[in-house]
Amino acid sequence: MKKLFLVTVVALGIISCGSDKKESEKVETTSTKSEEPKTSNVLELKGNDDMKFDKSQFTVKAGQEVTLTFTNEGVLPLETMGHNVVVLEKGADVQTFATASAKAKETNYISELYITDIVAQTKLLGTGESETIKFTLKEPGEYTYICTFPGHWIAMKGTITAI
Ligand SMILES: [Cu+2]
């Protein structure tokens, strides 16, 4: 009777050892999975007659060239519903820049007073027009982009996060 009891204890010991091993393997597999956000330095953005960009968030790699293609998909004329994309420096005063630019019709709604706030910009685009621009965000951080056509920047605004 004593012998039988001992055998049972040994057998249990082997089973529990086996399951312990499996659990530690599982933990290793999950901890190697990366949680980094998806980055791409090739960006596509669209604007429309509802005064909206189709995307408000991008994540790119800092210090590497970014290619951004912007398309105005609207059908309203440039004079009433033109759109551009202006990428501003980190820490730029977006409201000050946008307010001054909205008054700068003669320079296509880009204020020359705050030109140093600009990282990159497209032209003011009309119906179906598209432009591709290239630029590099040198430092990690958040960069705001807006459309500077009068009245648009509050609705047409987004963030490029460089990591
Ligand atoms: Cu616009």
Side-chain angles (χ1 to χ4, degrees):
M1 199 55 182
K2 239 186 183 177
K3 249 188 192 172
L4 191 66
F5 177 71
L6 253 178
V7 171
T8 319
V9 171
V10 172
L12 277 173
I14 291 165
I15 290 163
S16 65
C17 270
S19 64
D20 277 355
K21 216 179 192 181
K22 265 184 199 164
E23 266 171 40
S24 65
E25 274 170 19
K26 261 187 209 164
V27 173
E28 270 174 40
T29 324
T30 39
S31 67
T32 51
K33 273 185 189 167
S34 150
E35 299 269 321
E36 272 184 27
K38 278 185 186 172
T39 66
S40 171
N41 281 34
V42 180
L43 317 181
E44 278 188 34
L45 184 63
K46 288 165 186 160
N48 61 31
D49 287 342
D50 294 329
M51 225 200 283
K52 294 254 168 66
F53 284 133
D54 70 332
K55 291 179 193 119
S56 61
Q57 289 284 340
F58 292 103
T59 304
V60 304
K61 290 220 164 103
Q64 293 180 17
E65 190 174 67
V66 175
T67 304
L68 185 154
T69 300
F70 176 57
T71 306
N72 181 353
E73 289 198 317
V75 295
L76 292 173
L78 179 81
E79 296 72 30
T80 53
M81 192 53 79
H83 297 306
N84 62 12
V85 178
V86 181
V87 181
L88 296 173
E89 285 287 358
K90 259 195 324 182
D93 184 335
V94 180
Q95 185 170 0
T96 301
F97 176 84
T99 307
S101 291
K103 294 174 192 156
K105 192 179 180 190
E106 65 284 357
T107 49
N108 286 314
Y109 303 111
I110 300 291
S111 170
E112 289 179 335
L113 293 173
Y114 301 99
I115 219 114
T116 55
D117 283 345
I118 301 171
V119 176
Q121 64 184 89
T122 68
K123 291 192 286 282
L124 196 63
L125 302 181
T127 307
E129 288 184 319
S130 183
E131 185 181 350
T132 299
I133 55 172
K134 289 174 190 252
F135 55 94
T136 301
L137 301 177
K138 286 177 190 143
E139 291 172 26
E142 294 195 340
Y143 297 76
T144 300
Y145 61 86
I146 59 169
C147 169
T148 62
F149 195 89
H152 287 199
W153 76 276
I154 288 175
M156 298 186 80
K157 184 163 70 162
T159 306
I160 305 175
T161 304
I163 59 170

